[in-house]
Amino acid sequence: MATDPVCGMDVDEKDAAATAEYDGQTYYFCAEGCKETFTSTPEEYV
């Protein structure tokens, strides 16, 4: 399991609604909206 860095929800990597790469690491998200929030200002969430 991974933790959505925006909302803190547990996300199964295989079933994640969205993913994003940042600084060589993959982040998993529960929803596309969390991914969009992350990608606009990723430094706030890592």
Side-chain angles (χ1 to χ4, degrees):
M1 292 292 260
T3 301
D4 183 319
V6 175
C7 70
M9 185 175 193
D10 287 334
V11 179
D12 186 336
E13 291 95 338
K14 292 176 281 198
D15 296 325
T19 62
E21 294 281 331
Y22 179 72
D23 202 24
Q25 185 170 346
T26 303
Y27 294 90
Y28 299 88
F29 303 93
C30 67
E32 190 65 37
C34 282
K35 176 188 175 183
E36 291 171 9
T37 299
F38 177 84
T39 56
S40 67
T41 54
E43 60 280 351
E44 289 185 26
Y45 301 100
V46 293

